Amino acid sequence: MRRALFLLILGGVAAAAPPFADPQTEALVWLQKMASAAQRLSYTGIFTYQSGGNSETSRITHLVDATGQQERLEVLDGSPREVISTSAEVKCYLPDDKVVIVEKREDYKAFPALLPPSVGRLGEHYQIRLGGTARIAGLDSQQVILKPKDALRYGHQLWADAGSGLIVKARTINERGETVELFFFNQLQISENIDPGSLKPGFDTEGEAWRVHNARALQSLTAGKEWQFKASLPGFRKSAGMIRQSTSGQEATHFVFSDGLASISVFIEPLAGEKAEEGSYAAGAVNVYKRIAGRHLVTVLGEVPLETLKRLGRGVEPRRK
């Protein structure tokens, strides 16, 4: 009788329990929540960025209203800098040089908006699972771990506010298990009552001393069709192709490849007689690879392993006419 009662209770518990959820599916649900939160929430906060032994603190104010998204990023350490972005364009203010750089907003991603609108494809090239919980900037958070399935990309660890889903901490890990980049909020307030006036630039650029550099590019996936990429990178797709004009007035072809999380930029510009150096180096979390292709300099950069950049860059060649 007792055994029958035990089996009856056990059967009832099993029937009431939710079906077993695939760990990656559950983690992807969290990633989608993170991606959506960055697009729909208004917030203000102070965060720290660390890379290569350097540290920088910034204040971010993000407003979402009927007109779309607006954001102001102020660097609080060292030389003053500000980035003002809207749904249409991005303006970078460099007061030391009295320069404003204006660019059409394309795939602008910055902390905490690090994820693509849809995260479904990330599972193709990353093993994704939930990590532990932590308290960050006074908020309970859930960790999601993305481990690359190959040697072409870095690993990532993301922490999301348990309530809103907004990313509050992000770590990038290289192939040696070292942290190459770290973002984390020190203070964060999620609120619908953001003063639109707080998104105005803190510099008066009306004076004659300020120069405006219009870096808007001619966007087209067929731009640079005279160039071919002989080496493919699994998971990385060409997301943009454009013709840019540098501050020197010279035109350069710019391609962007992305796997949805990591991005690689390829710049191709004529040498015009000047001496160019081939080789590679690192600038914080960003690796850079340069080589000469005919009479052009090919520069490949991104937050991916150096060998990934070399593999892509060595396959860039002009098409035969």
Side-chain angles (χ1 to χ4, degrees):
M1 182 67 180
R2 288 182 179 178
R3 176 176 174 79
L5 182 60
F6 172 76
L7 291 175
L8 182 62
I9 294 173
L10 183 62
V13 170
F20 179 77
D22 173 59
Q24 178 157 306
T25 299
E26 189 177 0
L28 279 170
V29 170
W30 268 99
L31 285 182
Q32 191 60 63
K33 185 177 181 180
M34 295 180 194
S36 299
Q39 306 298 321
R40 62 179 176 79
L41 294 177
S42 295
Y43 55 86
T44 182
I46 295 176
F47 68 85
T48 297
Y49 168 71
Q50 296 177 348
S51 177
N54 298 316
S55 178
E56 189 173 80
T57 304
S58 300
R59 178 186 292 111
I60 186 170
T61 303
H62 185 263
L63 173 65
V64 180
D65 59 17
T67 65
Q69 299 184 58
Q70 303 174 62
E71 185 174 285
R72 179 186 180 195
L73 179 67
E74 310 165 73
V75 179
L76 303 178
D77 302 330
S79 299
R81 284 156 288 156
E82 288 189 13
V83 178
I84 309 290
S85 62
T86 66
S87 300
E89 65 180 13
V90 179
K91 291 183 178 181
C92 181
Y93 294 82
L94 306 173
D96 285 356
D97 299 320
K98 292 292 189 294
V99 172
V100 182
I101 301 174
V102 183
E103 187 167 5
K104 183 179 178 181
R105 179 168 180 154
E106 298 293 346
D107 188 22
Y108 176 72
K109 289 196 299 183
F111 179 80
L114 300 174
L115 294 170
S118 177
V119 302
R121 274 203 318 120
L122 294 180
E124 298 175 12
H125 299 282
Y126 295 90
Q127 296 175 0
I128 306 173
R129 63 179 177 87
L130 293 181
T133 58
R135 190 161 172 80
I136 300 168
L139 300 170
D140 292 330
S141 66
Q142 172 65 56
Q143 182 191 39
V144 177
I145 299 170
L146 298 94
K147 182 180 179 181
K149 295 181 178 180
D150 54 37
L152 296 175
R153 59 209 92 215
Y154 286 155
H156 300 268
Q157 297 178 0
L158 305 174
W159 287 259
D161 169 32
S164 67
L166 187 69
I167 294 176
V168 292
K169 183 177 179 180
R171 174 181 284 131
T172 303
I173 302 170
N174 66 14
E175 63 274 26
R176 296 181 296 278
E178 302 165 339
T179 298
V180 294
E181 186 175 64
L182 177 65
F183 293 90
F184 58 90
F185 273 110
N186 303 291
Q187 301 173 16
L188 176 63
Q189 180 183 0
I190 300 173
S191 172
E192 296 180 358
N193 299 317
I194 300 293
D195 179 12
S198 63
L199 289 113
K200 295 181 179 179
F203 309 108
D204 181 8
T205 61
E206 297 301 321
E208 295 182 0
W210 282 80
R211 293 178 293 113
V212 177
H213 172 61
N214 192 330
R216 289 189 175 91
L218 177 61
Q219 172 74 26
S220 171
L221 287 175
T222 61
K225 59 184 179 181
E226 66 273 21
W227 293 92
Q228 59 182 328
F229 291 83
K230 294 184 176 181
S232 62
L233 299 176
F236 285 91
R237 302 177 184 179
K238 186 168 74 170
S239 59
M242 64 201 82
I243 303 298
R244 291 186 176 277
Q245 190 173 48
S246 67
T247 54
S248 64
Q250 197 171 24
E251 285 191 346
T253 303
H254 178 200
F255 298 98
V256 178
F257 294 82
S258 177
D259 69 353
L261 184 57
S263 295
I264 301 173
S265 283
V266 180
F267 295 90
I268 305 172
E269 54 189 321
L271 291 173
E274 70 271 18
K275 184 178 179 180
E277 294 185 2
E278 295 187 273
S280 61
Y281 61 92
V286 178
N287 284 315
V288 182
Y289 170 67
K290 293 185 176 186
R291 63 176 283 263
I292 305 299
R295 296 182 179 180
H296 290 76
L297 174 65
V298 177
T299 303
V300 190
L301 58 91
E303 294 181 352
V304 295
L306 179 59
E307 290 304 315
T308 302
L309 301 181
K310 289 182 177 180
R311 176 171 166 177
L312 182 64
R314 288 169 176 166
V316 178
E317 297 290 346
R319 295 186 186 276
R320 292 184 179 180
K321 297 181 180 180

